[in-house]
Structure formats: C-alpha cells, structure tokens
Amino acid sequence: MADPGAGEKLKVFISYSRRDSAAFADELMAGLEVAGFAPFLDRHDIAAGEDWEARLGGLIAQSDTVVFVISPEAIKSEQCTWEVDRTLELSKRLLPVIFKSVPDHDIPEKLRRLQFVSFDSGTGFARPLSQLAEALRVDLDWIREHTRLGDLARRWDARGRPESLLLRGDDLDAAKAWMAARKAAAPEITDAQRTFVRTSDEAETSRLGRERAQLRRSARLLWAVASLVLLWFGYVLWKDYDVARRELNVFTARATDALNDEQFDRAMRYALQVYPARGDLPWITPFSTELEGKLAGGALSTRLHRQLNGHSKPVKTAAFSGDGKLVVTASDDNTARIWDAESGREIAVLKGHTDNVLSAAFSGDGKRVATASRDSTARIWDAGGGTEIAVLKGHDGAIFSAAFSADDKRLVTMSDRTARIWDAESGNEIAVLKGHTDGMDSAAISGDGKLVVTASEDATARIWDAKSGREIAVLKNHDSALNNATFSADGKRVVTASRDSIARIWDTKTGKEITVLKGHAGPVSSAVFSGDGKLVMTASYDLTARIWDAESGNAVLVLKGHTGSVFTAVFSGDGKRVVTASADSTARIWDVESGNEVARLLARLAPKRGKSGDIGDILGLPWEGKQIAVLKGHTDKLHSATFSADGKRVVTASDDSTARVWDAGGGTEMAVLKGHDDMLGAAFSADDKRVVTASKDKTARIWDAESGNEIAVLKGHTDSVNSAAFSADDKRVVTASKDKTARIWDAGGGAELAVLEGHTAKVHRAAFSADGKRVVTASSDKTARIWDAENGTEIGALKGHDREVRSAAFSADGKLVVTAAVFDNVRIWNAESRKEIAVMKGHLVSSAAFSADGKRVATASWDGKARIWDAESGKEIAVLKGHNIIVYTAAFSGDSKRVVTASMDHTARIWDVTWATLMRDDALREGVCAEKLIGAAQEFTDGEMEDPVLRGIDKNDPIARNPCLRRGPLSLDYWTRLPGQLWRSTLRLAR
C-alpha cells in the first residue's frame, strides 16, 4: 500500500485486550506498518511494574489516532475502558475495529455511535485492513497537527505557561488556520489547545506592538534625517507613479474613445503620450497591456499616409498631379499650395488671389495649376516655380471651380449661374453656359473635351456641348442643391454630389439615373470617379470620405480621421492613394490598398457622428486593416478555415459538401475534397500532409492534402460530426459530435481508441493540447470539459458560461484554455485549476483561439466581424470587418502574423494582423512613430490640445506636443532638452 502521505508517519496506538486479542493485535500492527503507518502496542512498550495509567496516558497523548479492538474481553476490561475514556478526553480520533463479535447492547454508547471496521465478516484480513487504512488517511495533516498542538499545549501548561513556549509568527498563523479548517467529523479541539493558541495570539500581538514601538523609537533617534530624506524621496516617487498611473488610465480611456470613433491617428497619439518612452525608468513607469493593445490596434487600423500642415484656414480642395508625385491644395487663407506627396514637404505657395481660394487642380501633364477664388478670378500657375501665368476675368461673382480639359487646351470655370470655357493658353473666353435657375457650384469637362457638366443649387446637373454651349441634358432627382458633378474617364457617366447626403451616377447619353450612393450622414461635398471608372470617391460634411463600387453602389471604404467637414476627396492617377481636404485646416493622403476584388478593398468603418455605430453597422462596411486575400469558390456558407502549420495553405469547410485547400498567399484554390455531405470542419495535420474533415453525414474523413484523395473514413458517431483535429504528433484524431460525445481515433488506420462521454448536449468542438495528453471539448450543455487523452476519463469541467459553449482551445503551452459561448462572452481559464482568469465582452461570439504565444485571442462573431483581444487584460485591440454576415471561425497562423476567418457569406478571408500580435514594447512604439505617424501626424492637433488632459503642454513647443519625441531620464535627449523645458516653464509662469 502507498505511504499515507509525505513527512512523518501517522502514529497509531492500538488498544486491545491481551486475554483474547494479542495475536490479532500483532497481525494488525504488522499490517499497519506495511500500509505506511507507525503503530505501537502497550504490551510491547510498557515496562513491568510501571504505573500503567501514567504510561498509557502518555502514549495516547503522543498518538495521532487510537484504534480500539472490540472483543468480549476488551469490553469487560477496566484498562481498555480507561483507554477509551482517556482518548475521548484528549479529543483524539478513535477508530473501533471488531475482532470478535459482541452484542450491541454490551458495547458502550461512546463506542457504539462510531463507525466500525469489521474483521469478523469472513472476508479475510486484507480487505478490512484496507478499509481501516483508508479511514486513517482521512484528514491526515489535520490529525497530525492536532497531536502536535496537544503536545505543545501540555508542555506549556506543565511548565507553568511561560511565554517562551508560545507559538509565534508563521507557526501561530498555521495553528489558527488549522483551527478554522476543522471538519465536522474531526476530533474536537481541546480547551487546552484553544487556550494555548489564544494566549499565543495575545502574546504575539503584544510582542509585535512592543517591537514596533522600539523600532519607531530607534528610527527616530538614530535615523531621523535619513528617514526624512528617504520619506520625501519615496513620497515623490510614489506620487509621481500614482499620477502616472492615473494618467495612464485617463489616456487609455481617451485612446479607446478615439478607436471607437475610428480616429486612429488620434488614438495612437493619446496612447503614446503615456506609453513607456525611450529612456524611461521601468520601476517608476506604469505599464498596461490594455494600453499596448490600444496602440497596436490604432497602428493596425490606420490608413493615414501623410498629413499636410501649413494652411492657416480651412482647406477647400486637394488634388494629385497625374503622376501622383504632387498634391495641390486650396484654402480660405487666400493661397494654394503644392506639396511633395511622398514626404509631405511644401514645395510652393501660390499667392495672388485676394479672397478665399475655392478650387485648385493640375493640368494633365502636371506642369500647370488652375485655381478659382471668391475674388471673381481664376488663375493659371506654373507648377514648378509657383509663378502666375494668367488671370481669367469675366465672372461677376465668386468662382467655385476651375478644371482643365483632358488635352489641357481648355479650362472650364463656374460662378453663380454661369459656367465659362476658356482657352488655357491665351486665357481668352470661348463660351458661356447659361440655363441654371440658381447658383452653380461646379463645372467639369469630359475627357474628350466635347462635353461640360455643371452642378447647381437648383438641385440639377446639366450637360452641355463644349463647343457651342448648347444644353444637352438635365439631370434631376436630387432633393437639394448640388455641390459638384464630374465625368467618368470615358465620358459615359456623370456622378453628382448633393446636400441631400446622396451621390448619384447618371448615363451621360440618356441623362437617366443609374445608381444611388447612400450612406453619408451629412451633405456630400464632392464626388469623382477613379481612373478606371469602377469606383467613386465622395467627401462629406460628416467628416468622412468614402469609396463606392460604381456598379453596385455599395460602400467599400470609409476614411475617417478629419475633425472638420471634408470638402474634396480624389484619387491619385494610379488609384493607390486618396487625398482629402478638410475644414480642420489639413489635407491628408491615404493609402488605398486593395484585396482581390473591388468590393473587398481594405477599409474603415462608417462615421459615428453623434450616436456611436449606426451607419457603419447598417451598411456592414469592410474593415480598416490589411486584408491579404479573399478565398472565393464555395457555393454555400463556410463553417471553418484554418492555416497549415507552415502558414502557406488554408483549408476551408463548407455546406456545399466540399473542403478546399487554398494558397494562403494569393488565395488560389489548390484542391477540392469531395465525398461528404455538408462539411462542418477541416484541419491540417501537423506535417501538413493530410487533412481531416468533419461532416453532417456522421463521419470524419482523412485526405491527402496534395492530391485530395480520401485516405480513411472514421465511423462511429451516431449524429453529425461538428469538428475534427489531429494531435500534434499526427497519430490521433479527435472528433466532436452532435451525439453528445467526442471520440479519439487512430489517424493511421481509423480505429476508434476512446469515447469521451459526459456532456449532456451536443459537442461542438474538440481539440488536443500541444503535448497530446489532454483534450478540451465545448458543448451546448454550457460547459467545456478537459479529458485525459490516454484513457478518456474526464479531468474537470469549466463552468461559468450562461449559454452553449461553441469553441474551446488550449494555449500552445497548455496552461490556458479559451472558450466561447454563443451570444455570451469569451473566457480564459487556468487549465490546471480550471479557474476563470479573464472575460472578454463585446460581441456575439461564435469561436475563439489563442495566438502562438498565448498573449492574443482571435474571436469570430455573429455580428459579421472578427476581433483581436489582449489575453491578459481581456480588452479589445482591433476589429476585422469585411464579411457581411456571420463569421463562424477565426484562427491564427502558426507565426501569429495572420488570421483566417470563415463566414456564412461563402468566403474565407486572410488578414495581416502583425501590428496587433507581434509588435510589442519598444518595437511597437518605434514602429508606430516610424511607419504610422509620420511628420505632422505625430503632433497633437490644435483641437486635441483643448482637451483638459493636454492643457499642461505648451502649444508652441513642437517637442512637447509630439508624443513620439518623449524621452526618459536614461536618455541623453532628456537631459539636453531639460534646460530649455525649464526655461519655457518659467516664462509661462511669469506670464
């Protein structure tokens, strides 16, 4: 038998009658010794002529448990009766065993109420001995401590209760904990023990009080000055840390709000303001993984490429040159400016207008710029040097726009109720276009130079013959004034922007409406086609710009970041970038990186003006991050998508009865696995050579990943198989089924190895731990369960969800489990203790999975989105938007750089999430400042400087308002800047 426990053996005193039980007592003693106990008998250990009461009393006192052997002679023995009384008097545990039967009425009441172990039942000696050993092992540690404390209490009392024998420190704490841990069936705690512990506690309290008083006196006498200095220094550090900690919480909240409003550059600035700077002292610099997640989320989501600062008033228009290398902006500060599109450097300032410049545009060859102004003139400028070439006069009022024809030979301008066509070389007027019943807002020439389109406050656009000035068509349907109208490159369509918050696309030839672009929450200030005519870009007073599919009218991209109305938004010549101009006095250049199709452009969500979230959520717009590929080919909803171990392939499972293997880089289909009915899951083996699939046809199947040939069919489940996965060594497969079981199979031959039974409802997911020793399952019975993968026995259940648990997975090190319950939260558990560690709230989750290092969690949701979370804080880092309906699964690649999602929209999507998963600590800070916040975008804007949390920063100090330039005392920059900062602070105080 096993030893009863580590440490000293349990001391068992055997009380018996020598007249009829001596041989049995010897046998019992030998058996207990073999079982790992320390039994002893009075017959062996008491000397002849000794005072037996004193001797036996001492032996009983030293024992942990007394075993009383019931026999006819023992019941009659005065000595045995005394031993029982003494045992109960000392509150020792008493275990009676029956050696020879005795009538119940002859057994004393004090023994009769106890549980007996019978050695006279005819079952032999071994079985009752085992029962007795098990009884002795109950509460071993507590029983031993009872004996120890009893001995200490008697010694203390016998020696006159000196303070030196009392308990102290940890020993006293352990004794009090022992008293509190007593179970109902355990021996009583004696009065002597209680008095001993209570007196020890009182003495300890008194002693500690005296010691503290003495220490205080000594400190005051010997270390007065040093203590004051240290106290002051410690207080300063503590206050500094406390203030920094509170600032961290405030700025984290600000960053969260900015992310929710999709002001990603602002979120990064707020996060950087309290993020550990280069040279900070780590022990006095607070840090939180939540803040790190906000910074990473902003970096992952932002699309801002450059911010152009220089104008002192609202910027009304911005446009690229044909080659995309330059940008021209027009502003209410009476100037236009030319910028380097890559660096954001100002190249030239076009000065000459005497009132607001309302429009600016390059000629096709990029050598000239045309501007329009409220001063009733249009001007042509040399784009190289910024010198004025010509002034076009003729309009009686403000000129709202000026644009070159495609061949750069003519220029069209618009003012009040007329438009005029000019010779771009001589500046002579060619034609005047009249017909609108209210003021005009824009005019544009078609690419072939034959047509002009004008937009007016009379709620119409009109198409004109550019040569004769004859009106050809009137475009009606808007409910309010039009702000602009432009042709597509081929001249076959016109797009109009209106104050009714709608843009419309028209057929140039017939004048009929083709498509309506709805989604803006404010007037649409401009609308233009992309070079290939497939997209339309709109700008709006709702602070956003949007890109639309010109054919379907669906919004595919929203650019949010401006803090004022967006007046214009246009594409670069190659369509890869967009430039916007805003009332916030900035122009911004945005990267427009696309996926595999027009409708899958990487995008940000719609504006959340006023009440958060409605427009974007209604439209189901794509996500702001970098989508790498869309895997299209399935003809029904997808249930799962997972990477191969090397990250080069993805396998998907669909209700179209196929699984498909894809190239993860380009999104091309590599193999189709056919044979099942509706498929519910698919996964690669660890060596990527095989795929296992799960199906509603009650089977799982193993396939060759290269050829797509079926290798084995796993039969045994009596209902749909919901998931299947290989063990890390590829020798086993675990499946989860609607039949309430999970099963483990031999991956080689397909033989069933174990059935995991215990769930009371269907099992949705089953997965091995990395070492293959455990399996975790998720079930509709609202629990996840952990199992021994070798024998199939249940180890424990994870309980806490209020709804059915749809997914469960181990972290790579096997220490954590993440679970997701439908319409409930995601929870992270300690796999060993099965205690809940973190809860992630925010969406209607359908699955959850860890990144390779266990620090991030990817979730899929019924709201059509996937999310990345910080596993430690449980806070959201980024939202992956692109699917337009339920996302069933989200899984990381092995290197955690990508996430693959599977959706009911018949597609799987691959996302680059490097910023959210791998960029940490100093690398994250430096990467954001080097790649995401560039140039002027690093500085807090004037509007942000009005935030109370930033009011202590000097607006005129470009270093102070730039969080990327923050430095700590371990940095040389900190000390070189310090004198200047102190001087500026002194000057501010003096004012």
Side-chain angles (χ1 to χ4, degrees):
M1 295 183 186
D3 189 88
E8 184 182 354
K9 294 181 178 180
L10 190 77
K11 293 173 286 196
V12 181
F13 176 68
I14 301 174
S15 175
Y16 69 103
S17 172
R18 298 177 186 172
R19 295 181 178 179
D20 61 357
S21 306
F24 173 76
D26 286 339
E27 187 177 6
L28 182 60
M29 180 174 174
L32 290 175
E33 286 178 341
V34 172
F37 300 100
F40 53 92
L41 301 170
D42 61 329
R43 177 163 56 91
H44 286 185
D45 298 296
I46 298 179
E50 187 179 0
D51 180 357
W52 64 269
E53 287 189 355
R55 175 60 175 160
L56 285 179
L59 292 176
I60 292 172
Q62 295 171 17
S63 67
D64 296 312
T65 300
V66 174
V67 172
F68 184 82
V69 179
I70 296 177
S71 68
E73 292 299 328
I75 293 301
K76 294 185 293 184
S77 170
E78 178 184 350
Q79 178 180 327
C80 290
T81 301
W82 182 91
E83 291 174 359
V84 170
D85 292 339
R86 183 59 177 164
T87 298
L88 297 176
E89 180 184 338
L90 294 175
S91 291
K92 296 291 184 177
R93 181 167 62 177
L94 180 62
L95 296 178
V97 300
I98 299 176
F99 168 52
K100 293 182 178 180
S101 297
V102 176
D104 286 348
H105 59 80
D106 289 341
I107 300 175
E109 174 63 23
K110 62 190 75 173
L111 290 176
R112 195 161 58 235
R113 64 172 179 263
L114 301 176
Q115 186 70 35
F116 297 160
V117 176
S118 298
F119 281 82
D120 66 340
S121 59
T123 58
F125 187 80
R127 180 177 294 179
L129 178 63
S130 177
Q131 294 173 355
L132 176 59
E134 287 302 314
L136 288 169
R137 290 188 180 99
V138 173
D139 294 332
L140 264 180
D141 293 335
W142 197 91
I143 293 297
R144 286 186 182 127
E145 188 67 3
H146 188 286
T147 301
R148 188 183 76 86
L149 288 176
D151 288 343
L152 293 176
R154 283 189 297 276
R155 185 180 303 114
W156 170 68
D157 188 61
R159 296 185 183 181
R161 301 191 171 189
E163 185 175 335
S164 60
L165 293 181
L166 292 173
L167 300 173
R168 292 187 178 189
D170 293 343
D171 207 16
L172 175 59
D173 292 339
K176 290 191 287 186
W178 169 81
M179 293 176 69
R182 178 186 175 273
K183 297 180 180 178
E188 291 290 342
I189 299 172
T190 66
D191 290 340
Q193 290 169 325
R194 291 183 185 278
T195 301
F196 178 61
V197 174
R198 184 179 65 254
T199 305
S200 296
D201 194 25
E202 293 170 352
E204 179 79 349
T205 301
S206 177
R207 182 180 63 81
L208 290 175
R210 292 193 303 271
E211 289 180 357
R212 281 193 293 268
Q214 181 61 37
L215 286 173
R216 285 194 296 268
R217 287 192 296 270
S218 299
R220 283 195 297 267
L221 292 171
L222 300 176
W223 303 101
V225 176
S227 295
L228 286 174
V229 172
L230 290 174
L231 182 63
W232 175 83
F233 184 69
Y235 176 77
V236 170
L237 287 180
W238 176 80
K239 287 296 292 183
D240 186 65
Y241 184 87
D242 185 60
V243 169
R245 180 183 55 80
R246 285 187 279 119
E247 282 185 341
L248 183 144
N249 293 335
V250 170
F251 278 93
T252 300
R254 290 290 199 279
T256 301
D257 292 340
L259 285 175
N260 291 338
D261 288 339
E262 289 155 31
Q263 299 280 357
F264 301 116
D265 51 333
R266 176 183 295 176
M268 288 186 284
R269 286 191 290 270
Y270 274 129
L272 284 168
Q273 187 63 19
V274 289
Y275 196 81
R278 190 187 305 170
D280 264 341
L281 297 169
W283 58 89
I284 61 170
T285 305
F287 174 80
S288 79
T289 57
E290 180 183 359
L291 178 72
E292 183 180 63
K294 301 306 176 187
L295 182 56
L300 179 67
S301 304
T302 188
R303 303 194 62 78
L304 182 63
H305 184 64
R306 286 289 185 276
Q307 182 169 303
L308 310 179
N309 285 8
H311 287 292
S312 58
K313 290 186 178 180
V315 181
K316 289 298 180 69
T317 65
F320 281 102
S321 59
D323 59 9
K325 294 181 179 180
L326 301 176
V327 168
V328 63
T329 57
S331 171
D332 281 352
D333 65 6
N334 302 352
T335 70
R337 296 174 190 245
I338 300 175
W339 313 77
D340 183 290
E342 182 59 31
S343 68
R345 179 177 58 87
E346 183 180 278
I347 295 175
V349 181
L350 312 184
K351 293 182 179 180
H353 286 291
T354 58
D355 208 335
N356 302 348
V357 182
L358 303 178
S359 168
F362 282 100
S363 59
D365 59 10
K367 295 180 179 180
R368 290 173 293 170
V369 168
T371 58
S373 170
R374 285 191 184 277
D375 66 7
S376 303
T377 69
R379 298 174 189 244
I380 301 175
W381 312 76
D382 173 51
T387 57
E388 185 179 280
I389 298 173
V391 181
L392 311 181
K393 296 181 179 180
H395 286 290
D396 295 328
I399 302 178
F400 296 105
S401 69
F404 286 96
S405 60
D407 59 8
D408 293 337
K409 293 181 178 180
R410 281 172 292 176
L411 190 75
V412 62
T413 58
M414 178 279 302
S415 170
D416 198 15
R417 299 184 183 184
T418 68
R420 296 172 188 253
I421 301 175
W422 311 77
D423 184 295
E425 296 294 332
S426 65
N428 295 329
E429 183 181 288
I430 297 173
V432 180
L433 311 180
K434 297 182 179 180
H436 285 291
T437 58
D438 207 337
M440 288 189 190
D441 286 314
S442 79
I445 302 176
S446 61
D448 58 9
K450 295 180 179 180
L451 301 175
V452 171
V453 64
T454 57
S456 168
E457 293 186 8
D458 65 8
T460 71
R462 297 175 189 244
I463 300 174
W464 314 77
D465 183 288
K467 185 174 183 180
S468 66
R470 180 178 58 88
E471 182 181 288
I472 297 174
V474 181
L475 312 182
K476 300 179 179 179
N477 263 354
H478 283 291
D479 296 327
S480 188
L482 272 64
N483 287 321
N484 93 313
T486 56
F487 288 101
S488 59
D490 59 9
K492 294 181 179 180
R493 289 169 296 166
V494 166
V495 63
T496 56
S498 171
R499 296 176 195 172
D500 62 10
S501 304
I502 295 172
R504 298 173 189 263
I505 299 175
W506 314 77
D507 184 283
T508 302
K509 187 175 183 180
T510 65
K512 292 183 178 180
E513 182 182 287
I514 300 173
T515 307
V516 180
L517 311 180
K518 290 184 178 180
H520 281 295
V524 182
S525 50
S526 76
V528 295
F529 283 97
S530 60
D532 60 8
K534 293 181 179 180
L535 303 174
V536 168
M537 166 69 74
T538 58
S540 171
Y541 279 61
D542 67 7
L543 317 187
T544 73
R546 298 183 182 225
I547 294 179
W548 311 76
D549 179 351
E551 183 176 351
S552 68
N554 292 330
V556 294
L557 170 65
V558 178
L559 302 179
K560 190 170 182 181
H562 283 294
T563 57
S565 300
V566 184
F567 296 127
T568 62
V570 294
F571 291 98
S572 61
D574 59 9
K576 293 181 179 180
R577 288 171 295 171
V578 167
V579 63
T580 56
S582 168
D584 64 8
S585 302
T586 69
R588 298 181 182 222
I589 301 174
W590 311 80
D591 179 42
V592 188
E593 190 173 341
S594 68
N596 289 346
E597 60 184 25
V598 169
R600 307 305 178 200
L601 283 175
L602 313 179
R604 275 195 275 228
L605 210 118
K608 296 184 176 69
R609 192 178 171 102
K611 186 176 179 182
S612 161
D614 19 343
I615 296 174
D617 292 341
I618 291 170
L619 293 175
L621 299 178
W623 175 64
E624 59 273 4
K626 185 179 180 182
Q627 182 174 280
I628 298 173
V630 180
L631 313 182
K632 296 186 68 177
H634 286 291
T635 58
D636 207 336
K637 62 185 178 184
L638 275 71
H639 286 284
S640 77
T642 56
F643 282 100
S644 58
D646 62 9
K648 295 181 179 179
R649 289 174 293 171
V650 167
V651 63
T652 56
S654 168
D655 269 354
D656 66 6
S657 301
T658 71
R660 296 173 190 245
V661 180
W662 312 78
D663 171 50
T668 56
E669 184 180 284
M670 301 174 70
V672 181
L673 314 181
K674 295 181 179 180
H676 282 296
D677 292 339
D678 296 349
M679 286 201 192
L680 299 177
F684 281 99
S685 58
D687 62 6
D688 295 335
K689 294 181 179 179
R690 291 174 293 171
V691 168
V692 62
T693 56
S695 170
K696 290 182 181 178
D697 64 11
K698 306 177 186 179
T699 71
R701 297 175 189 240
I702 299 175
W703 313 76
D704 184 286
E706 294 293 332
S707 66
N709 294 331
E710 183 181 289
I711 297 173
V713 181
L714 312 181
K715 294 183 178 180
H717 284 293
T718 58
D719 211 329
S720 299
V721 181
N722 293 322
S723 76
F726 283 96
S727 59
D729 60 6
D730 290 337
K731 294 181 179 180
R732 292 168 294 168
V733 166
V734 62
T735 54
S737 171
K738 194 175 179 180
D739 67 8
K740 305 178 186 178
T741 71
R743 298 174 188 243
I744 299 175
W745 313 78
D746 174 32
E752 184 180 286
L753 302 177
V755 180
L756 312 183
E757 296 180 294
H759 284 294
T760 58
K762 60 185 175 183
V763 184
H764 293 283
R765 291 286 183 274
F768 285 100
S769 58
D771 60 8
K773 294 180 179 180
R774 292 168 295 168
V775 166
V776 64
T777 55
S779 169
S780 287
D781 65 9
K782 304 179 184 178
T783 71
R785 296 173 190 246
I786 300 175
W787 313 77
D788 186 305
E790 297 298 326
N791 55 37
T793 58
E794 183 181 313
I795 296 173
L798 308 179
K799 297 180 179 179
H801 286 291
D802 296 325
R803 296 178 180 269
E804 58 181 292
V805 183
R806 285 296 184 95
S807 80
F810 284 101
S811 58
D813 60 8
K815 294 180 179 180
L816 302 175
V817 169
V818 62
T819 58
V822 64
F823 298 122
D824 194 11
N825 301 318
V826 175
R827 297 170 190 258
I828 297 178
W829 313 76
N830 181 297
E832 186 66 29
S833 66
R834 299 184 294 282
K835 291 182 178 179
E836 183 181 288
I837 297 174
V839 180
M840 299 171 185
K841 302 177 181 179
H843 63 156
L844 309 176
V845 67
S846 53
S847 78
F850 280 108
S851 60
D853 61 5
K855 293 184 178 180
R856 298 288 186 258
V857 170
T859 60
S861 171
W862 288 60
D863 63 8
K865 307 176 184 79
R867 285 172 165 81
I868 308 295
W869 306 77
D870 174 51
E872 180 179 334
S873 66
K875 299 298 183 180
E876 179 184 296
I877 294 176
V879 183
L880 313 183
K881 300 169 190 165
H883 293 291
N884 53 29
I885 200 167
I886 300 169
V887 181
Y888 289 116
T889 62
F892 285 100
S893 59
D895 58 10
S896 297
K897 292 182 179 179
R898 291 166 295 166
V899 164
V900 62
T901 54
S903 170
M904 193 176 183
D905 66 6
H906 304 181
T907 70
R909 295 167 191 250
I910 302 172
W911 314 80
D912 185 335
V913 294
T914 303
W915 279 96
T917 55
L918 299 183
M919 300 295 283
R920 309 276 174 80
D921 305 321
D922 293 346
L924 175 60
R925 180 192 64 237
E926 299 303 320
V928 166
C929 292
E931 300 178 37
K932 297 297 181 178
L933 292 177
I934 303 172
Q938 292 182 352
E939 295 184 10
F940 286 109
T941 66
D942 288 342
E944 291 165 357
M945 293 294 289
E946 295 301 317
D947 190 326
V949 301
L950 295 174
R951 284 181 182 169
I953 297 176
D954 185 356
K955 292 183 179 181
N956 299 316
D957 184 352
I959 293 177
R961 65 187 294 168
N962 186 337
C964 284
L965 297 180
R966 291 176 58 245
R967 296 292 184 267
L970 297 181
S971 166
L972 179 61
D973 288 343
Y974 175 88
W975 298 103
T976 56
R977 295 173 186 170
L978 187 60
Q981 291 172 346
L982 292 175
W983 175 248
R984 282 189 291 270
S985 297
T986 302
L987 291 178
R988 284 206 311 273
L989 291 173
R991 297 193 205 108

